[in-house]
Amino acid sequence: MQNGLADHNGSVAQPSRELETLKLRLRLLKEAMPDVMLVHDGTILLELGGDIEGLCGYTSDELMGQPVLGPWLAPQALELIRGRIADGFQGRYQTLMCHRDGSPVPVELSVRQVHRGGGLMRAVVIHDLRQQFATEARIAEEDARFRALMDVAFDGMVVHRNGYVIDTNEGFARMCGYTVEEVLGMMPSSVVTPESVAIIAEKIRNDDTEPYEVTGVRKNGERFPMQIQGRRVPGDRDLRVTGFHDLTHQRTAEAERETLQSQFLQAQKLEG
């Protein structure tokens, strides 16, 4: 009898311990995950996990049991979220939360409907986009600074991968007589003479970063002296950035100076 009772108590105790262990693991998982997770019934927040305070400045205790459409959401986002809840939307979308200090917090919501306790709940994973947006803004700023520098340092600029132009500026297109749209997808070698192609290939093969001169060819077939200086983009062996100088005016000025100097020397001889 005692053994039967012990077996009976053990069979009850074992699942209970397993359930507590499972709850503990779920709680630790929620606390460790980088995103915030919440569950609501369309009206009230029922569960919260993750660093909600780091996301919006409110603690879990402050938000639990509060209305879903609370002050932690940006005013301009309320209509969108209210509509998504009413429509039973499932999937991802981006919106704005509002930090406790009043600052906007861009987020991506991943929404899934789940059945629980006979009711329909909505499980939402919230991904903080602030770092991503800041990175994108910094990249855009660096790109603008790079383009401004290239526009000042060179008459034209192209970014090319495996021999094909993937980015350029107005200066290069204008220098060669094309539009920017026409240049994209071209091979830079198509705007130089065949003899120059061999020179460029050798410079690239030797990873030469010093400026050198080749003969360019405009869209109308006109040839002109061109200076090139290129380098690989760190971290991407197939990506190169190349700057171009149209040396036409420089060569014209040099020729005029030589002519003037010759005329000056000739005049001195006549005077002597």
Side-chain angles (χ1 to χ4, degrees):
M1 188 74 175
Q2 288 180 343
N3 290 339
L5 182 61
D7 291 342
H8 176 71
N9 288 339
S11 66
V12 172
Q14 184 64 24
S16 177
R17 287 195 296 271
E18 290 178 353
L19 180 60
E20 291 303 316
T21 301
L22 178 60
K23 287 182 177 180
L24 176 61
R25 287 176 178 174
L26 287 174
R27 182 173 62 80
L28 293 175
L29 177 62
K30 289 180 181 179
E31 292 175 353
M33 66 185 196
D35 293 325
V36 170
M37 186 183 76
L38 61 85
V39 176
H40 66 85
D41 60 2
T43 305
I44 301 298
L45 291 174
L46 303 175
E47 292 184 25
L48 283 166
D51 186 14
I52 185 68
E53 187 172 5
L55 180 68
C56 64
Y58 297 92
T59 66
S60 296
D61 291 339
E62 290 177 307
L63 295 179
M64 284 289 287
Q66 295 299 312
V68 175
L69 302 178
W72 53 287
L73 295 175
Q76 57 268 45
L78 293 178
E79 183 177 353
L80 170 65
I81 296 176
R82 185 182 292 112
R84 294 293 168 91
I85 293 174
D87 295 339
F89 173 85
Q90 297 189 80
R92 295 183 179 184
Y93 66 100
Q94 294 184 359
T95 187
L96 282 176
M97 293 180 64
C98 184
H99 196 276
R100 191 172 200 149
D101 63 12
S103 61
V105 180
V107 295
E108 181 181 77
L109 306 184
S110 299
V111 185
R112 185 169 62 90
Q113 293 191 145
V114 295
H115 292 276
R116 181 179 297 180
L120 190 61
M121 305 295 175
R122 295 176 68 81
V124 184
V125 175
I126 307 174
H127 180 58
D128 188 348
L129 296 178
R130 284 176 294 188
Q131 184 174 354
Q132 178 182 327
F133 280 19
T135 300
E136 291 174 353
R138 185 170 63 254
I139 290 174
E141 182 180 347
E142 291 175 354
D143 181 64
R145 188 183 300 114
F146 167 75
R147 288 178 177 276
L149 177 62
M150 292 296 286
D151 285 341
V152 171
F154 298 98
D155 298 327
M157 177 272 294
V158 300
V159 179
H160 49 106
R161 181 189 296 279
N162 295 324
Y164 292 92
V165 177
I166 61 174
D167 196 9
T168 188
N169 64 352
E170 289 283 352
F172 179 78
R174 186 170 53 251
M175 178 173 61
C176 298
Y178 295 91
T179 65
V180 169
E181 290 71 22
E182 288 176 316
V183 172
L184 295 176
M186 287 177 56
M187 300 180 70
S189 58
S190 63
V191 296
V192 297
T193 61
E195 297 80 11
S196 298
V197 172
I199 297 174
I200 295 173
E202 182 180 0
K203 295 291 185 179
I204 292 176
R205 187 166 51 252
N206 296 332
D207 203 19
D208 193 335
T209 60
E210 294 299 317
Y212 58 96
E213 189 174 331
V214 297
T215 302
V217 181
R218 305 190 204 279
K219 185 178 182 179
N220 62 8
E222 177 188 356
R223 296 190 174 198
F224 66 102
M226 173 194 288
Q227 185 185 74
I228 298 178
Q229 185 173 10
R231 65 179 61 246
R232 295 184 189 277
V233 174
D236 191 333
R237 62 185 303 273
D238 297 322
L239 191 65
R240 293 183 65 86
V241 179
T242 305
F244 298 81
H245 274 308
D246 183 347
L247 300 178
T248 301
H249 296 304
Q250 180 179 328
R251 292 291 181 266
T252 300
E254 290 173 354
E256 291 175 348
R257 185 167 58 252
E258 290 177 2
T259 299
L260 181 60
Q261 186 176 20
S262 177
Q263 291 173 346
F264 175 70
L265 292 175
Q266 186 66 27
Q268 281 186 321
K269 290 179 180 180
L270 291 175
E271 288 180 1

mmCIF file of all heavy atoms in Angstrom, residues 17 24 26 51 64 96 98 116 166 182-183 214 235:
data_model
loop_
_atom_site.group_PDB
_atom_site.id
_atom_site.type_symbol
_atom_site.label_atom_id
_atom_site.label_comp_id
_atom_site.label_asym_id
_atom_site.label_seq_id
_atom_site.Cartn_x
_atom_site.Cartn_y
_atom_site.Cartn_z
ATOM 1 N N ARG A 17 7.554 18.757 -11.539
ATOM 2 C CA ARG A 17 8.934 19.260 -11.621
ATOM 3 C C ARG A 17 9.315 19.591 -13.056
ATOM 4 O O ARG A 17 9.992 20.587 -13.316
ATOM 5 C CB ARG A 17 9.903 18.214 -11.035
ATOM 6 C CG ARG A 17 9.850 18.109 -9.518
ATOM 7 C CD ARG A 17 11.059 17.360 -8.987
ATOM 8 N NE ARG A 17 11.075 15.974 -9.456
ATOM 9 C CZ ARG A 17 10.494 14.976 -8.814
ATOM 10 N NH1 ARG A 17 9.844 15.196 -7.675
ATOM 11 N NH2 ARG A 17 10.561 13.740 -9.282
ATOM 12 N N LEU A 24 10.867 27.646 -16.170
ATOM 13 C CA LEU A 24 12.134 28.333 -15.890
ATOM 14 C C LEU A 24 12.927 28.534 -17.168
ATOM 15 O O LEU A 24 13.473 29.617 -17.415
ATOM 16 C CB LEU A 24 12.950 27.520 -14.881
ATOM 17 C CG LEU A 24 14.348 28.071 -14.558
ATOM 18 C CD1 LEU A 24 14.254 29.462 -13.961
ATOM 19 C CD2 LEU A 24 15.084 27.121 -13.618
ATOM 20 N N LEU A 26 11.775 28.675 -20.223
ATOM 21 C CA LEU A 26 11.086 29.673 -21.053
ATOM 22 C C LEU A 26 11.367 31.088 -20.549
ATOM 23 O O LEU A 26 11.584 32.010 -21.331
ATOM 24 C CB LEU A 26 9.581 29.401 -21.056
ATOM 25 C CG LEU A 26 9.116 28.186 -21.862
ATOM 26 C CD1 LEU A 26 7.629 27.947 -21.653
ATOM 27 C CD2 LEU A 26 9.415 28.384 -23.346
ATOM 28 N N ASP A 51 14.107 42.546 -23.100
ATOM 29 C CA ASP A 51 14.461 43.831 -22.487
ATOM 30 C C ASP A 51 13.489 44.920 -22.927
ATOM 31 O O ASP A 51 13.833 45.804 -23.712
ATOM 32 C CB ASP A 51 15.893 44.205 -22.866
ATOM 33 C CG ASP A 51 16.385 45.454 -22.142
ATOM 34 O OD1 ASP A 51 15.720 45.869 -21.166
ATOM 35 O OD2 ASP A 51 17.413 46.017 -22.565
ATOM 36 N N MET A 64 2.470 45.212 -17.801
ATOM 37 C CA MET A 64 1.603 44.046 -17.691
ATOM 38 C C MET A 64 0.195 44.449 -17.269
ATOM 39 O O MET A 64 0.002 45.203 -16.317
ATOM 40 C CB MET A 64 2.183 43.064 -16.678
ATOM 41 C CG MET A 64 3.364 42.277 -17.208
ATOM 42 S SD MET A 64 2.886 41.056 -18.444
ATOM 43 C CE MET A 64 2.094 39.853 -17.406
ATOM 44 N N LEU A 96 6.289 52.649 -35.342
ATOM 45 C CA LEU A 96 7.025 53.429 -34.346
ATOM 46 C C LEU A 96 6.470 53.184 -32.953
ATOM 47 O O LEU A 96 5.257 53.199 -32.740
ATOM 48 C CB LEU A 96 6.939 54.925 -34.649
ATOM 49 C CG LEU A 96 7.816 55.493 -35.755
ATOM 50 C CD1 LEU A 96 7.496 56.973 -35.954
ATOM 51 C CD2 LEU A 96 9.291 55.319 -35.425
ATOM 52 N N CYS A 98 7.102 54.579 -28.813
ATOM 53 C CA CYS A 98 7.489 55.843 -28.183
ATOM 54 C C CYS A 98 8.195 55.534 -26.867
ATOM 55 O O CYS A 98 7.618 54.892 -25.987
ATOM 56 C CB CYS A 98 6.256 56.719 -27.944
ATOM 57 S SG CYS A 98 6.640 58.352 -27.267
ATOM 58 N N ARG A 116 -5.150 29.931 -27.236
ATOM 59 C CA ARG A 116 -4.746 29.634 -25.864
ATOM 60 C C ARG A 116 -5.965 29.732 -24.944
ATOM 61 O O ARG A 116 -6.666 30.742 -24.947
ATOM 62 C CB ARG A 116 -3.668 30.614 -25.413
ATOM 63 C CG ARG A 116 -3.179 30.363 -23.987
ATOM 64 C CD ARG A 116 -2.100 31.327 -23.590
ATOM 65 N NE ARG A 116 -0.898 31.192 -24.407
ATOM 66 C CZ ARG A 116 0.183 31.933 -24.250
ATOM 67 N NH1 ARG A 116 0.208 32.872 -23.310
ATOM 68 N NH2 ARG A 116 1.233 31.751 -25.023
ATOM 69 N N ILE A 166 28.986 49.162 -61.430
ATOM 70 C CA ILE A 166 27.776 49.058 -60.626
ATOM 71 C C ILE A 166 27.380 50.406 -60.029
ATOM 72 O O ILE A 166 26.280 50.558 -59.512
ATOM 73 C CB ILE A 166 27.934 48.011 -59.505
ATOM 74 C CG1 ILE A 166 29.070 48.405 -58.546
ATOM 75 C CG2 ILE A 166 28.176 46.636 -60.088
ATOM 76 C CD1 ILE A 166 29.176 47.493 -57.336
ATOM 77 N N GLU A 182 23.424 54.783 -69.021
ATOM 78 C CA GLU A 182 24.143 54.024 -70.044
ATOM 79 C C GLU A 182 25.429 53.412 -69.481
ATOM 80 O O GLU A 182 25.833 52.311 -69.888
ATOM 81 C CB GLU A 182 24.486 54.923 -71.234
ATOM 82 C CG GLU A 182 23.284 55.304 -72.084
ATOM 83 C CD GLU A 182 23.660 56.274 -73.190
ATOM 84 O OE1 GLU A 182 24.417 57.238 -72.906
ATOM 85 O OE2 GLU A 182 23.210 56.083 -74.326
ATOM 86 N N VAL A 183 26.063 54.114 -68.553
ATOM 87 C CA VAL A 183 27.340 53.643 -68.000
ATOM 88 C C VAL A 183 27.133 52.433 -67.098
ATOM 89 O O VAL A 183 27.946 51.494 -67.097
ATOM 90 C CB VAL A 183 28.040 54.771 -67.220
ATOM 91 C CG1 VAL A 183 29.264 54.230 -66.477
ATOM 92 C CG2 VAL A 183 28.448 55.891 -68.162
ATOM 93 N N VAL A 214 46.250 56.575 -69.799
ATOM 94 C CA VAL A 214 45.810 55.757 -70.922
ATOM 95 C C VAL A 214 45.089 56.675 -71.908
ATOM 96 O O VAL A 214 44.980 57.881 -71.684
ATOM 97 C CB VAL A 214 44.856 54.620 -70.467
ATOM 98 C CG1 VAL A 214 45.560 53.654 -69.533
ATOM 99 C CG2 VAL A 214 43.598 55.188 -69.813
ATOM 100 N N GLY A 235 38.091 44.290 -47.877
ATOM 101 C CA GLY A 235 37.084 43.314 -47.500
ATOM 102 C C GLY A 235 36.325 42.712 -48.661
ATOM 103 O O GLY A 235 35.510 41.815 -48.473
#
